[in-house]
Amino acid sequence: MEIAVQDVAGARDAVAGGADRLELCAALAGTGGLTPSTGMVAAVADALRGSGVGVHVLVRPRAGGFVFAADEVDVQVRDVRAVLDAGADGVVVGAMTADGAVDAAALAAFVAAAGGADVTFHRAIDQVPDPVAVLDVLARAGVRRVLTSGGAPRAGEALDVLAALATRGRELGVEVMAGGGVRLDDVPALVGAGVHAVHLSAKRTVVADGGPGGGGSSGYDVTDPEVVAATRAALDAALAATSDAGAGA
């Protein structure tokens, strides 16, 4: 179970609730996630030291699509190095070409900058028409894992695609993590599809009016420890049921 978090408190709550891995990002609700500050990365890494839970940092310079100009790729290469130097265990990246293919040159630069640390390719993969075939490209590039909804708005709506991705991922040594609108009641079906992990933000909104010029009145999101714990329980139950079914067969 990977939980997307945005701050130190959220990281601690996610770990306490049973997260196996964290994705650290900023501006998750409004943008889908951007690169957090290196100060935040260092603080979360320090807070989790000794926990055994890895911190994987989203590297994405702006909202919008994943077609990046050369200077945007350069910024991401610098950010990959910076967040790893700050204590991250891995990075989450992605880049596409204007014609809808994986940007192999940009990805190669990101993987090289990671210097052997884990690289996850994010949901940019959901923009390609044949994500199963793209796994081969990502595996050759050195990607360790992909985060995907199977091309659907929600991962729970693309179980057949996720199952095919998981099967091919095992053949290639690439982990397939289901993410995108994951709900508690999706967990058994996602486990049944054979994915390696599930990913969710497990968040709730805190009401806080920033006032004029203060960032708006919509409040901000925090990690909800109850959602994390409930998802952990659902995941463990689904895994146990799968194990029992296998033993019975």
Side-chain angles (χ1 to χ4, degrees):
M1 182 175 71
E2 180 178 277
I3 302 295
V5 302
Q6 301 182 85
D7 52 32
V8 176
R12 290 194 177 113
D13 284 341
V15 172
D20 299 296
R21 184 172 56 242
L22 305 182
E23 181 193 41
L24 179 62
C25 58
L28 182 59
T31 67
L34 301 176
T35 309
S37 72
T38 53
M40 181 65 77
V41 175
V44 170
D46 285 347
L48 267 58
R49 187 162 288 113
S51 69
V53 176
V55 180
H56 294 243
V57 175
L58 176 65
V59 174
R60 183 182 176 213
R62 57 162 172 77
F66 304 108
V67 179
F68 297 115
D71 57 346
E72 293 177 313
V73 172
D74 178 62
V75 167
Q76 290 175 87
V77 166
R78 293 169 186 260
D79 279 340
V80 167
R81 294 176 182 143
V83 301
L84 291 170
D85 287 345
D89 299 290
V91 293
V92 183
V93 297
M96 306 295 291
T97 63
D99 60 357
V102 171
D103 187 334
L107 181 58
F110 301 156
V111 172
D118 269 13
V119 174
T120 299
F121 195 90
H122 56 51
R123 288 189 60 200
I125 191 175
D126 291 324
Q127 295 188 341
V128 303
D130 187 354
V132 177
V134 168
L135 281 186
D136 291 69
V137 176
L138 300 181
R140 288 194 297 270
V143 168
R144 177 77 179 91
R145 150 184 330 103
V146 297
L147 171 62
T148 176
S149 66
R154 295 181 50 251
E157 300 170 351
L159 297 176
D160 289 347
V161 177
L162 289 170
L165 283 164
T167 297
R168 185 57 179 152
R170 286 185 171 83
E171 295 169 351
L172 296 169
V174 175
E175 294 181 6
V176 173
M177 178 164 53
V182 171
R183 301 170 184 167
L184 193 61
D185 56 4
D186 292 325
V187 170
L190 292 172
V191 170
V195 298
H196 298 83
V198 295
H199 166 105
L200 65 158
S201 57
K203 65 182 184 292
R204 62 181 175 84
T205 300
V206 173
V207 177
D209 190 346
S217 60
S218 59
Y220 60 95
D221 290 330
V222 298
T223 301
D224 188 330
E226 294 184 2
V227 175
V228 176
T231 306
R232 176 80 264 171
L235 183 58
D236 289 345
L239 290 168
T242 300
S243 178
D244 291 344

